[in-house]
Structures are given as C-alpha cells and as structure tokens.
Amino acid sequence: MKLKVLFLCVHNSARSQMAEMWLRQIAGDLFDVKSAGLEPGTLNPLAVEAMREVGIDMSRNQTRGVFDIFKSGELFHYVIAVCDAANAERCPIFPSITKRLNWSFPDPAQVRGSPAAQLEQIRLIRDAIREKIEKWVAEIRDADASEASATKSRKTK
C-alpha cells in the first residue's frame, strides 16, 4: 500500500507543485501524492521552467484548493506544508492518523530582480525541495527496513 501525501502551500503555484513532482519522480513507488493551496492561483511560469530544466514537465498541472480536498473526505498519511509556519497554521486538520510536517521554503512569488535573477532564485528553491524530499524518503525507507527486520526477527524466535 502506498503512503498518501498531500503537499500544501498558499497558492499551489510553485512550492507544493514542485514537491509533488519531485516525490513522484524520486519515490512514486512508495507514495500516492497530491498538492493543494489555501488560495489556489495559477502555476508560476518560472517554477514550470525551473522544473523543465531538470526534465520534469509540470506545465499541464492544475492548481487545487485544499478545502476542496478536505471536503472530499480523502485521507492522508502525511500532510506537509511547504510554506511558512504562519500560513501552515491556516491549513485544515485532516481526519484520521495524519502526520503534519512543516518544511518552510521561500515563496517563489516573492523573489525579485530581473527574470534571470528570479529564475536563479527559484532554481535554489527547487533544489532545496528536492534535497529535503530525498532525505525524507531515505528516512522513510530506513524506518520501513528497520521495521521489516524487527518483524522478521520476532517471527524467527
């Protein structure tokens, strides 16, 4: 059974979309993943470009509202806010045994400068999100391996 993960940010226009796409690429075999926003907007074209540079096409993704997902009754093992803590507090509490995590990344909508400078800043955010997901997936896999080993050990006694 795949673990269900929901990534959240304010507009579902960059950070949560990038996190969703990275997790699908890195560990789609382990996770069923979605993303949503508190106030869904439109995809950030510079975030789309930054992901395209690493071979991930999110140009056809649609933004989603977290409250629509909440009202659907869908359950998640993990709800991960990738926005600042103040905005993460605005997220609904999902029913069931859900682990809430907050991974605060800078908001790509707030980067300033020339388009080239903005893209460079978004690349840094993209890479930070990838790095965090890689570490988290490794932790999940290590925990699963430890649990499997402990279960096997109990069965052989």
Side-chain angles (χ1 to χ4, degrees):
M1 177 183 85
K2 290 184 175 186
L3 296 174
K4 294 187 73 162
V5 176
L6 176 64
F7 286 107
L8 301 173
C9 67
V10 178
H11 300 292
N12 191 223
S13 62
R15 294 170 289 187
S16 56
Q17 292 273 351
M18 289 190 285
E20 175 184 358
M21 299 305 286
W22 276 124
L23 187 56
R24 283 180 194 278
Q25 183 181 62
I26 293 166
D29 58 321
L30 293 178
F31 298 97
D32 178 13
V33 60
K34 290 184 176 178
S35 65
L38 293 166
E39 303 161 5
T42 58
L43 285 179
N44 181 317
L46 292 175
V48 171
E49 176 60 27
M51 293 301 282
R52 183 177 291 125
E53 291 175 351
V54 293
I56 298 174
D57 181 9
M58 64 181 217
S59 63
R60 291 187 175 93
N61 288 13
Q62 299 293 314
T63 61
R64 295 181 211 96
V66 67
F67 291 102
D68 293 331
I69 292 174
F70 179 79
K71 288 186 274 185
S72 77
E74 190 169 357
L75 304 177
F76 295 91
H77 295 95
Y78 293 92
V79 174
I80 304 173
V82 291
C83 52
D84 60 80
N87 281 307
E89 290 298 318
R90 297 173 44 205
C91 296
I93 304 296
F94 281 78
S96 82
I97 302 170
T98 300
K99 293 180 184 163
R100 288 177 57 116
L101 304 173
N102 187 26
W103 301 344
S104 184
F105 296 101
D107 186 351
Q110 301 300 316
V111 299
R112 300 291 174 247
S114 69
Q118 289 178 34
L119 182 57
E120 184 55 37
Q121 292 175 65
I122 291 172
R123 287 179 184 129
L124 296 173
I125 297 166
R126 172 201 68 199
D127 294 346
I129 291 170
R130 183 198 73 236
E131 183 178 319
K132 180 68 175 176
I133 287 174
E134 287 173 342
K135 287 179 182 177
W136 183 66
V137 167
E139 290 169 10
I140 298 288
R141 285 188 168 142
D142 287 347
D144 285 350
S146 295
E147 185 177 317
S149 177
T151 300
K152 183 178 179 181
S153 177
R154 284 192 299 269
K155 287 182 179 179
T156 59
K157 287 185 180 181

